Amino acid sequence: MLRRKYQRSGTLWEGRFRSSITQEKTLLHCHRYIELNPVRAEMVLQPKDYSWSSYHSNAPGQENKLLKPHAIYKQLGMTAQDRQKIYRQLFRSKLKSEVIDGIRKMTNGNYVLGNERFKEKIGKMLGRRVTPSDAE
């Protein structure tokens, strides 16, 4: 009934979330991309200012029982303090526009994010094209 009233179809979350198979070595780029989204949207000045960010757990080390650190994050340093310091350092420079555009293009198209060898391997496993065509 409400869907008809507001001219909506499908579920509440339909079309809002996208995903991409991602090579592990690009994971920290994705972390930065996500953590900086509220900054790019001019909602906050810094990632630490956004309440719903995992930055609070990854950078200053606030406990969050909903998050489990990825193995790539754990490889940043030997101790939690080392990892947090290095993670904070990742945010001292801006993400290059090519990285931002690449992540957007791959996730919006449900394509694979990684190097050419990784894309080729995943494409063979899935039996489908995993990169945009030249026309896109």
Side-chain angles (χ1 to χ4, degrees), residues 13-61:
W13 303 111
E14 183 176 1
R16 294 184 184 216
F17 297 103
R18 294 171 180 91
S19 64
S20 178
I21 295 174
T22 304
Q23 187 176 12
E24 283 189 338
K25 70 186 224 169
T26 65
L27 182 72
L28 292 176
H29 285 303
C30 293
H31 265 253
R32 290 176 64 206
Y33 174 84
I34 292 166
E35 306 278 29
L36 290 168
N37 269 336
V39 176
R40 280 191 298 277
E42 298 180 352
M43 297 166 61
V44 295
L45 293 175
Q46 299 175 33
K48 69 178 184 175
D49 299 332
Y50 189 64
S51 303
W52 302 103
S53 178
S54 60
Y55 185 87
H56 303 285
S57 179
N58 295 322

